[in-house]
Amino acid sequence: MTEATQLTEMYTQCVIDTMFKLANALQFYRYNMADYDIDHLEKEFGQFLHIGARGDVKNLAIDYILGITDSTEGKQLLGRKETLLEGIVSLTEDDSPDISAKAYKALINFATDEENCQKLLNLSKYQNICIKWLKMALDRSNENADLLCKLLNNVTRPEKCADQVAKCVLDSKADLLISKMVMAFCNPTYNETSNLHYLTGVLANLSQIRDVRVQLMDKKQCIIQRILPFVEFKQSETCRTGVVATLKNCCFDIDFHDWLLGEEVDILPRLLLPLAGPEEFDEDDMEKLPVDLQYLPPDKSRESMSNIRKMLVEAIFQLCATKAGRSYIKSKNTYIIIREYHKWERSNDPRNEPAIMNLIDILIGDEPVPSMENLKAVEIPHNLMEKFKKEDEEDMKEILDEGKKEET
Amino acid sequence: MADKQGAFMSDEERQKLIEKLDADLEAYISEKTENAKKNKEPEKDKDIDEIVKELETHPAFIKEVDWSKPLSPEMEGLMSLKYEEEDPTARAEAYKEDGNFEFKKKKYSIAVENYTEGIKSKSPDKELNAVLYTNRAAAQYHLGNYKSSFQDCVIARKFKPDHLKAIMRDPQNKVILELRQSTEKMKRDIDRDRRKAQAQERKEHEEDLKLLKVIQSRGIQLAGMKSDDQGRQLDPSLLTSLEVHNPSKARVHLDADNVLHWPVLFLYPQYTETDYIEAFCEKQRFIDHLQDMFGPDVPPPPWDKEGTYTPDRLQVFYEDKEKVKLYKVKKEWTLLQCLQQKRYKVFGGTPTFLLFPSGTTFETEFLKRYET
């Protein structure tokens, strides 16, 4: 036997041993989740969870990790070992599209709570990884762009993480990143292999942060205007949810209300249209509505997602905070749209009732006394706040109970 | 050999030639000065105003270029000097500067020309081209050439897809935003008008169907309606049989109390005259109309030569076109009662009746035609 063949055989033997070890680990750990020995796991897998490892072994290892991220316990264990996380992150850049996709999926599964998200964002080996991910997601030729968007969507969901990512984005030299995100998902051919719908979720998460909203509502640019048509984007619920959530967040800034409602953005018809049905109104009522809502066809349907409808109502409610906003919204005959929508929603999702009632109270109620014109600046006494909270809870309970009764 | 002879010209010959050439030159110069003097003469007649005017157009003293007039030759020379650069980028840059200068003075059409020249220089600098196109777009916008403006924006983006940054920082971006806004508003208005027209159409269609239903429920037959139509779904094409070709465009209609009003035609075959009643309420009787038209209070129609057209003597008939028969209408009937007759059919959306007085020779002759 020559030396060469001897070496090959030894090497093969070695690989086979590893396989057995892995197979053993696979069987053992999968069935005894409580007995996970994470230190052992790190020792066994750490070396394979690396971009430099052999392809077949890497594949087995990432398969196994992906399995672990399926359960809450698995994720908790994984969160304790930064080296393992770093290993997964390194595999996202693997040459094999199969392995990189699995690595992304493992990270997406992992990033479901605040603690885990923060761990991912603060890996010592990967500083400012969010910027890198964002840039990669915006790479026109990246085939994993959708997975990256999903990951970013998960990672930015907790407010603290959104804050951290937003700071990174705003501090980075790439100050146009926010508008680039908008341009990317507004352009259906931006990336031939990915649709980037989850990017709207990222945008919605980041818009929790005031500085991001200021960027979105830059009066010199045309950013928020571009996302408005996506409120009616029938092809993707994800996209509509993200866009409406972003708009709702933007409606929290009183100083932008005049601009949002004014000619330059004209946000009101966009928020109202998905709530409008095929109802006909007499000509006087019709002509008072914003033009986009006039003479809708008999096949006009309402937004199908209940949570999106709720966000739309809440966004309009926010815009009613100031006297100017309220009187504009009232003058546009918003009430008749909401009235018809309210009737319809009763038989669809009664949980939206409180939000609708709040809006209707403002639309048909008397104007508050001058000192309380800015509803956001009204100081609410603590005891009343408690009382309102209790009442809201009771109302919701009642609604849910009624819903149950109807079911049975 | 002749050449050689010329080459070896004698001194004498040479001297002669020189003298001749000198003389020629002298004559030529004197002629030139003579001519120059002649040309200069009118200049002396110029008054001071004209000189001032000439000076004003001279590039050295010029205050402002009047682009509507052809440029003075001196000016043109200077300009070509300025732009005739070897380097296309420098040339494009120069035109861009000029364009911006004119733009600031709100001379947008000149700015467009400048930017166009800049684009024509075909500089390889993509960014410069993007700027030239965006700036031209802005100038075109101010001129109201929205389509050209939009096209320039599109081309600008092709030169530099991320030119956005430059566009956004440019104060002219405001113009582009305005363009977007006004276009969008226009589109929304057009959409609304289209929806409104459609809603109107739907409403009319519904009313038409309702009308047909009412007509049918009254037991009135329209030409084209089949006898087994009763209770079945209505054929909207029947509406065409309600189309009226009279000039007043009156059509059968329902009033708020659900009463039908028909356009009705009275024919007087004796004198080939007609009367047209725009809205004959179905509840009215024939005699009511006859009283109004031929009663004692009304002057008789000019064509009634014999004075026989009175409510008493007039008879009303309708014609069954298929069987070619005349049927008498009782004058006390309402229009509805008549239309409900089994043999009555409404043609052309207009109930038509034949009227002539009784006890005339015309009557006997006319009735004969229907007897076979």
Side-chain angles (χ1 to χ4, degrees):
Chain A
M1 208 182 274
T2 63
E3 209 174 322
T5 46
Q6 226 173 350
L7 267 174
T8 323
E9 201 152 285
M10 270 171 69
Y11 183 70
T12 324
Q13 192 58 44
C14 198
V15 172
I16 291 171
D17 278 357
T18 322
M19 289 296 171
F20 274 127
K21 258 187 196 169
L22 283 170
N24 177 41
L26 271 171
Q27 286 160 17
F28 180 74
Y29 291 118
R30 191 152 284 178
Y31 298 119
N32 301 288
M33 205 56 104
D35 297 332
Y36 265 129
D37 180 351
I38 193 69
D39 292 324
H40 178 61
L41 199 71
E42 188 184 14
K43 220 169 83 194
E44 290 287 297
F45 280 95
Q47 49 181 317
F48 305 124
L49 268 181
H50 188 266
I51 194 152
R54 271 174 57 109
D56 45 358
V57 201
K58 269 192 295 193
N59 199 16
L60 263 176
I62 193 67
D63 262 344
Y64 178 57
I65 292 288
L66 187 56
I68 289 183
T69 57
D70 250 357
S71 71
T72 324
E73 297 95 329
K75 277 185 264 185
Q76 271 173 0
L77 285 170
L78 208 55
R80 280 196 245 142
K81 289 293 167 194
E82 208 179 287
T83 46
L84 287 180
L85 291 177
E86 284 170 352
I88 308 174
V89 173
S90 84
L91 284 185
T92 58
E93 286 177 71
D94 200 278
D95 286 339
S96 148
D98 191 36
I99 291 178
S100 63
K102 280 177 194 162
Y104 278 123
K105 280 175 192 159
L107 290 177
I108 292 167
N109 284 346
F110 176 72
T112 39
D113 65 31
E114 186 175 331
E115 208 183 322
N116 287 354
C117 291
Q118 287 209 320
K119 270 180 193 140
L120 267 186
L121 288 176
N122 297 305
L123 292 173
S124 47
K125 250 194 188 175
Y126 296 94
Q127 294 287 320
N128 271 352
I129 184 125
C130 54
I131 293 289
K132 192 181 164 196
W133 279 340
L134 206 46
K135 281 186 177 161
M136 278 164 72
L138 294 176
D139 175 0
R140 280 169 173 264
S141 56
N142 188 345
E143 292 186 14
N144 280 326
D146 272 342
L147 288 170
L148 267 160
C149 290
K150 270 189 197 178
L151 175 59
L152 281 163
N153 184 24
N154 280 2
V155 165
T156 53
R157 191 166 294 138
E159 196 176 339
K160 269 188 195 165
C161 299
D163 196 31
Q164 189 184 338
V165 174
K167 276 202 182 99
C168 279
V169 170
L170 298 172
D171 288 347
S172 73
K173 288 283 177 297
D175 56 338
L176 280 171
L177 222 46
I178 298 285
S179 60
K180 266 193 186 150
M181 278 168 74
V182 173
M183 300 296 163
F185 82 77
C186 287
N187 179 357
T189 57
Y190 188 85
N191 186 327
E192 298 290 341
T193 56
S194 318
N195 59 37
L196 306 182
H197 288 168
Y198 279 91
L199 209 50
T200 59
V202 183
L203 198 65
N205 291 336
L206 294 182
S207 66
Q208 295 176 89
I209 311 307
R210 159 97 187 168
D211 288 342
V212 173
R213 294 199 295 272
V214 171
Q215 281 247 325
L216 278 173
M217 294 188 275
D218 185 344
K219 291 176 191 177
K220 278 189 198 151
Q221 299 189 29
C222 177
I223 304 184
I224 198 166
Q225 290 96 322
R226 277 175 203 275
I227 70 172
L228 288 174
F230 287 85
V231 171
E232 290 276 322
F233 190 60
K234 295 277 175 271
Q235 290 94 314
S236 162
E237 285 167 2
T238 316
C239 209
R240 292 203 307 275
T241 312
V243 165
V244 173
T246 309
L247 294 181
K248 184 192 149 186
N249 283 343
C250 288
C251 288
F252 273 79
D253 294 313
I254 287 190
D255 14 336
F256 287 98
H257 279 186
D258 287 347
W259 180 71
L260 285 172
L261 289 169
E263 266 192 355
E264 276 160 78
V265 184
D266 200 12
I267 198 171
L268 183 65
R270 308 288 192 168
L271 299 175
L272 273 177
L273 191 56
L275 299 175
E279 291 84 11
E280 280 179 33
F281 305 105
D282 55 37
E283 202 152 327
D284 277 356
D285 267 337
M286 203 63 108
E287 300 283 339
K288 267 190 242 161
L289 287 169
V291 281
D292 290 330
L293 282 111
Q294 292 180 13
Y295 303 102
L296 296 177
D299 60 349
K300 168 75 176 75
S301 59
R302 292 190 163 87
E303 167 60 53
S304 60
M305 300 277 287
S306 169
N307 63 330
I308 297 182
R309 295 195 299 267
K310 190 177 172 211
M311 285 193 286
L312 289 166
V313 171
E314 287 167 342
I316 302 172
F317 182 62
Q318 284 298 329
L319 292 171
C320 288
T322 62
K323 188 181 164 75
R326 268 195 306 281
S327 54
Y328 177 78
I329 291 170
K330 283 180 183 176
S331 75
K332 286 290 170 187
N333 220 355
T334 305
Y335 172 65
I336 59 164
I337 299 289
I338 300 298
R339 183 189 66 202
E340 296 304 317
Y341 159 65
H342 186 206
K343 283 184 205 159
W344 175 91
E345 186 71 294
R346 273 189 193 142
S347 51
N348 282 278
D349 191 348
R351 283 173 304 171
N352 287 347
E353 174 87 10
I356 303 173
M357 281 319 292
N358 281 342
L359 179 57
I360 287 186
D361 284 345
I362 278 202
L363 290 178
I364 59 175
D366 296 331
E367 273 294 306
V369 290
S371 62
M372 284 183 158
E373 262 169 5
N374 184 344
L375 294 178
K376 287 235 171 171
V378 174
E379 268 181 48
I380 304 149
H382 189 70
N383 58 335
L384 280 180
M385 217 190 271
E386 289 288 307
K387 194 186 144 206
F388 293 147
K389 207 178 157 193
K390 222 179 210 173
E391 280 178 0
D392 283 350
E393 277 166 11
E394 278 168 13
D395 284 350
M396 191 44 92
K397 212 180 151 210
E398 215 169 274
I399 289 164
L400 290 176
D401 284 349
E402 253 171 54
K404 269 181 202 158
K405 259 183 230 161
E406 269 167 36
E407 272 170 37
T408 52
Chain B
M1 292 308 260
D3 278 355
K4 262 193 175 171
Q5 258 188 5
F8 292 100
M9 204 184 272
S10 69
D11 282 350
E12 200 181 340
E13 276 171 327
R14 194 169 289 154
Q15 190 58 43
K16 263 184 187 172
L17 187 63
I18 289 171
E19 270 169 21
K20 189 185 178 290
L21 282 174
D22 278 349
D24 280 355
L25 189 64
E26 204 78 354
Y28 178 75
I29 289 172
S30 63
E31 194 189 340
K32 273 277 151 191
T33 33
E34 202 87 341
N35 275 347
K37 267 182 192 166
K38 264 183 206 163
N39 284 343
K40 268 187 180 172
E41 264 166 320
E43 206 171 291
K44 284 174 190 163
D45 298 338
K46 269 189 189 171
D47 61 25
I48 188 79
D49 285 344
E50 264 177 281
I51 295 169
V52 167
K53 217 172 185 181
E54 197 168 285
L55 274 178
E56 269 180 352
T57 57
H58 192 275
F61 304 102
I62 200 159
K63 284 178 189 151
E64 205 166 347
V65 185
D66 185 357
W67 295 94
S68 60
K69 285 177 194 160
L71 290 169
S72 67
E74 294 92 342
M75 196 64 190
E76 238 171 305
L78 267 180
M79 287 192 111
S80 61
L81 255 183
K82 184 175 178 189
Y83 295 119
E84 258 173 25
E85 296 266 357
E86 288 286 298
D87 180 7
T89 305
R91 186 173 182 268
E93 190 74 44
Y95 273 113
K96 189 194 87 182
E97 291 302 322
D98 277 11
N100 290 354
F101 181 69
E102 298 297 339
F103 190 99
K104 270 177 206 144
K105 288 198 296 178
K106 297 192 175 171
K107 303 224 162 140
Y108 300 117
S109 51
I110 305 164
V112 166
E113 276 171 33
N114 277 316
Y115 294 134
T116 310
E117 280 303 319
I119 289 164
K120 275 188 194 162
S121 359
K122 293 199 173 133
S123 157
D125 183 343
K126 283 187 178 175
E127 183 154 352
L128 180 59
N129 277 311
V131 172
L132 281 166
Y133 273 106
T134 359
N135 290 6
R136 192 170 74 173
Q140 294 278 28
Y141 173 82
H142 280 295
L143 290 170
N145 303 331
Y146 301 122
K147 203 170 170 187
S148 314
S149 175
F150 176 71
Q151 277 165 349
D152 278 352
C153 289
V154 173
I155 301 172
R157 285 203 61 183
K158 276 187 187 152
F159 269 110
K160 208 163 174 280
D162 58 345
H163 181 53
L164 220 69
K165 198 168 178 172
I167 295 176
M168 280 167 179
R169 294 205 172 135
D170 202 315
Q172 285 159 17
N173 178 39
K174 201 173 147 251
V175 169
I176 295 167
L177 276 182
E178 275 167 16
L179 175 64
R180 183 186 194 278
Q181 204 180 305
S182 56
T183 330
E184 206 183 85
K185 192 180 177 304
M186 264 186 258
K187 188 185 168 294
R188 288 158 81 173
D189 283 347
I190 291 168
D191 282 350
R192 193 276 313 262
D193 291 346
R194 187 178 43 77
R195 286 198 306 271
K196 188 175 179 178
Q198 280 171 352
Q200 185 65 29
E201 225 167 80
R202 273 198 307 277
K203 208 175 146 197
E204 276 169 18
H205 187 67
E206 270 164 34
E207 275 172 11
D208 284 349
L209 286 181
K210 193 184 167 198
L211 186 67
L212 275 181
K213 226 174 177 173
V214 169
I215 291 173
Q216 203 187 29
S217 70
R218 297 266 204 281
I220 299 167
Q221 297 176 67
L222 298 177
M225 199 186 258
K226 291 184 194 96
S227 52
D228 59 347
D229 267 349
Q230 294 287 339
R232 283 232 209 128
Q233 268 227 317
L234 279 161
D235 179 6
S237 71
L238 272 177
L239 276 173
T240 50
S241 64
L242 291 178
E243 295 288 331
V244 176
H245 305 290
N246 61 60
S248 69
K249 302 273 177 218
R251 203 180 84 158
V252 56
H253 66 272
L254 263 181
D255 65 16
D257 300 322
N258 236 16
V259 174
L260 285 170
H261 297 260
W262 292 88
V264 168
L265 197 61
F266 281 179
L267 304 175
Y268 310 106
Q270 187 178 2
Y271 296 108
T272 59
E273 289 289 339
T274 57
D275 264 325
Y276 180 72
I277 303 160
E278 265 187 38
F280 194 139
C281 169
E282 60 177 353
K283 284 181 171 171
Q284 281 171 334
R285 297 176 304 164
F286 282 88
I287 189 70
D288 302 335
H289 276 273
L290 291 179
Q291 287 290 0
D292 284 353
M293 294 157 80
F294 299 101
D297 308 336
V298 196
W303 41 262
D304 178 16
K305 287 163 194 155
E306 293 164 21
T308 46
Y309 282 70
T310 58
D312 294 339
R313 290 189 67 178
L314 269 172
Q315 311 173 85
V316 185
F317 294 88
Y318 66 88
E319 190 182 35
D320 182 333
K321 290 193 180 176
E322 281 159 39
K323 292 182 186 160
V324 199
K325 269 191 146 181
L326 273 189
Y327 295 97
K328 201 166 181 180
V329 178
K330 285 184 184 157
K331 283 183 270 186
E332 289 73 30
W333 278 351
T334 61
L335 179 62
L336 178 63
Q337 274 175 310
C338 175
L339 296 182
Q340 280 172 333
Q341 298 295 309
K342 266 190 186 166
R343 286 178 290 255
Y344 197 88
K345 255 188 189 175
V346 180
F347 282 88
T350 315
T352 306
F353 300 95
L354 295 154
L355 287 90
F356 44 86
S358 61
T360 57
T361 43
F362 177 80
E363 181 196 12
T364 33
E365 272 171 31
F366 192 75
L367 289 176
K368 252 185 210 167
R369 287 193 221 168
Y370 288 90
E371 288 167 13
T372 34

